[in-house]
Amino acid sequence: MSEIFTIIASVSLWVAMVRIASPLIFATLGELLCERAGVLNLGIEGIMVAGAFAGWFAAYSGMGLWPAVGVAFLTGMGFGALHALLTVLFGLSQHVVGIGITLLASSSSYFAYRLALPEVTSPPKIEAFATWPVPVLSQIPLIGPVLFSQTPLTYLAYGLAIALALVLARTPLGLAIRAVGENPTSVEAQGLSVAGLRSGAVIAGSGLMAVGGSFLTLSAFNSFFFEMVNGRGWICIALVVFGAWKPGKAVAGAFLFAAFDALQIRLQQTPLGAHLPYQIFLMLPYLLSILALIVTSRRASVPAALMQPFRKGER
Amino acid sequence: MSGTAPKSRPVALRLDGITKRFGAVLANDAISLEVAQGEVLALLGENGAGKTTLMNILFGHYTADQGRIEVLGEALPAGQPRAALDRGVGMVHQHFTLAENLTVLDNLLLGTRPLFGLRLNRGAARARIAALAQDFGLAVDPDARVADLSVGERQRVEILKALYRKARVLILDEPTAVLTPQEAEALFATLRHAVAQGLAVIFISHKLHEVIGIADRVVVLRHGRVVGEVAVADTDPARLAAMMVGAEIRSPAIPTVAEGAVALRLERVATQGFHPDLVNASLDLVAGRITGLAGVSGNGQGALAALIAGLAVPVAGRFQIGGRDIPDWSPLAAIGQGVARIPEDRHHAGTIGDFTLTENAVIERLRDPRFSRHGWIDWRAARRHAEGLIYGYDIRCSGPDARIRLLSGGNMQKLILGRALEESPAIILANQPVRGLDIGAVRFVQERLLAARARGAAILLISEDLEEVMALSDVIHVISDGRLSPQFPRGSMSAADLGLWMAGQGFDHAA
């Protein structure tokens, strides 16, 4: 037991939590944006893979790291545009299109990787984002080293969460996005474009998912390898529900999941890890997430028009 | 023929020669009309007369093939939904266009600020809403969630929404369909306020007495054409009705039928799990009698219909069929006891859209030996049955293999009716049987129900249309908030009396 307390008391656990949470925050905010507009984007897993690859490849080809993040964002927007075309304009099933996009985006990323680097056996490395302690803030005891001694992309994630929460709650655009996810007819009756709002949300949200993917290659692992996204996209879908479609709560959910994940890695190295198969530890964050979902998602208010295609003139 | 506004007041809205064709159907045929500021114009017409198409053209959802629209003297560009709103044309749709999980304030603000602006400025909006509410007598809490509001309040929000956008022309599509007579009176008071402040109001309806009560002028549409235009002062309901349907309408003749035994009896019955539930409900359905159920929708009709169809079981009280208690009440038991149902929603609860006519015709009777042999469906017999219904109930379709969703509402209803009535049911649950049908189909359905009554069926007719209930029923119950009124024999109550019960007033004394 004492090992567990030692782990929990260590700063490195909490630093790792924030690092693990960062890509989840980007992608969860992206998914949240899509769902608030009424579109379930199951392309998230594949779009994260594409973002991870595109960002990494841009950096590997000699681009700067920030331009590489931009490339990942644009790649995500491209897949988002395809998703919007099929689900918003054509009104096709959001489940089928989303899964199709996941398969398309991940397999085409692996394919592009093999085309670009046919001979490589071990993935080439890039110079990734280094940690950049924020002046002053990183000096705050306890939270300074945890929250403000991270890579710049993590700070971007904080900013995005705050920005998205403000936009949704306080601006005309945010109101229109929320309304289009609740009742598209209300938006149409007020002279706004349902297709425009939904497509915009899906495209921008997909861009964020891809940036989340690129965090893995540009900030966390500094190379690209197969299966590196490893279900994070699906976790983000659950985090949106866990966060009751609210950015603040969704970010809290991302931290919670990441804390369990960081904890299980460390638990594997304790004497407990010698007795139990390591898969038990791997399971832990998912099990605890499911439990948290059961507890919290009862009161969640789903956007009323989520997954309902809108066709003009139909009531 | 065209509707012309009185010359004294400036014209707010002018439609000139609007023509719209959908394939072979001429939905709007050179419609011209004008409405002046400070005037209420009623647009009267049956379902399918072209009212909705006309309004969709006005709001830019469709583009007219010909014709032009002027708002306050300026031409309105075609096919731009925003243009009508920006020029001050506001519409209150029959189906509200509110986002239920948002507050009243947010619904009002939606689309009124530049989309990429930085602030919503809720404070200023709040002040304007308070002023508008004061001026027009439209009290609504701006911070309430729309989902928590009553239907009447939601309608007020819709009107406020139009006023907030500085509407000069207010169009209301069937605004009283969902209101009690008393709520409708409050609406009319608001409209009088609006007109006094110089708004032009277009009131779309097919309820004659309301039109006469509120409008200054009436334009009558039939088959997409303006067939008449009169000042309300110069007309009466019978003449308007004649214009609307093209011939003198007659209420169906109700022959006297000898009533039989009680087929179904509810004694102080309660249900569970509905909103609202039935409480203490007592009701007799008698053979050879149509029992009408009047009430604003959502007052417990759903619970009563579910109970009779076997979809719900009573949690208190007695429930008898043919004088016997029925254990294990279920949909199957209901069918076994000869309950036929004409469900409220023919698209979802009545038929399966992608199934053929044949499949839909036999779907409730799959265990019937006529249609199954040793557990296998006898499709030949099922098809013959469907063909019989098509012939006997004059269902217009390409044949028994047509998918049912390709049929018009009237023909779909005829299939449901035929399927139910062919079995000579002892009890018929007719829930909104003529809603949304054209007048020919309405007559057909009503005549068939009367024929079933003559044969000795006990019929429960649930309808929101008070006139329909009063015309067809031998006795009437009113339902309000899950409570059933005592039964009133035909002719013993006026519409206004029933309206009081619908608003829940009589119950205070009777319960």
Side-chain angles (χ1 to χ4, degrees), chain B residues 248-254 443 446 450 467 470-472 490:
Chain B
E248 289 294 335
I249 51 162
R250 55 185 175 87
S251 298
I254 315 272
R443 266 190 203 150
Q446 292 181 342
L450 287 169
E467 286 177 30
M470 292 177 72
L472 290 180
R490 172 197 299 282

Side-chain angles (χ1 to χ4, degrees), chain A residues 122-135:
Chain A
S122 71
K125 291 199 182 311
I126 53 159
E127 193 65 40
F129 278 109
T131 49
W132 181 76
V134 184

Side-chain angles (χ1 to χ4, degrees), chain B residues 181 294 466-467 470 476 478 488-502:
Chain B
L466 195 52
E467 286 177 30
M470 292 177 72
I476 296 175
V478 180
F488 307 121
R490 172 197 299 282
S492 67
M493 297 286 270
S494 70
D497 295 337
L498 292 173
L500 285 174
W501 282 88
M502 284 161 73

Side-chain angles (χ1 to χ4, degrees), chain A residues 36 166-193 197 301-304 312-313 315, chain B residues 56 59-62 81-82 85 93 95-102 105-122 161 165:
Chain A
R36 281 313 276 271
L166 284 177
V167 165
L168 282 177
R170 298 278 179 87
T171 68
L173 178 66
L175 174 59
I177 290 171
R178 285 187 288 135
V180 82
E182 290 292 338
N183 181 3
T185 324
S186 72
V187 169
E188 195 198 26
Q190 291 286 59
L192 299 172
S193 162
L197 282 165
S301 55
V302 193
K312 263 195 179 179
R315 298 239 176 260
Chain B
N56 275 325
F59 275 89
H61 298 156
Y62 301 149
R82 259 211 107 94
L85 287 168
H93 292 270
H95 305 279
F96 299 147
T97 60
L98 299 170
E100 297 199 354
N101 272 325
L102 303 187
L105 186 64
D106 281 354
N107 269 288
L108 290 170
L109 277 173
L110 179 63
T112 60
R113 300 266 196 270
L115 196 55
F116 294 99
L118 279 182
R119 287 172 52 80
L120 274 170
N121 213 345
R122 289 194 172 99
K161 211 162 80 172
R165 302 192 74 132

Side-chain angles (χ1 to χ4, degrees), chain B residues 403-465:
Chain B
R403 277 184 302 165
I404 197 114
R405 69 185 175 87
L406 301 177
L407 269 56
S408 74
N411 284 310
M412 212 182 269
Q413 194 71 333
K414 285 178 186 172
L415 175 80
I416 292 171
L417 194 71
R419 182 174 76 186
L421 298 187
E422 273 306 276
E423 310 296 328
S424 301
I427 298 164
I428 299 170
L429 167 65
N431 197 350
Q432 308 281 2
V434 302
R435 178 154 70 186
L437 302 187
D438 63 56
I439 193 119
V442 167
R443 266 190 203 150
F444 183 89
V445 171
Q446 292 181 342
E447 277 162 16
R448 290 297 174 137
L449 286 177
L450 287 169
R453 167 180 173 270
R455 184 181 53 71
I459 300 170
L460 177 65
L461 172 68
I462 302 178
S463 175
E464 285 159 36
D465 186 338

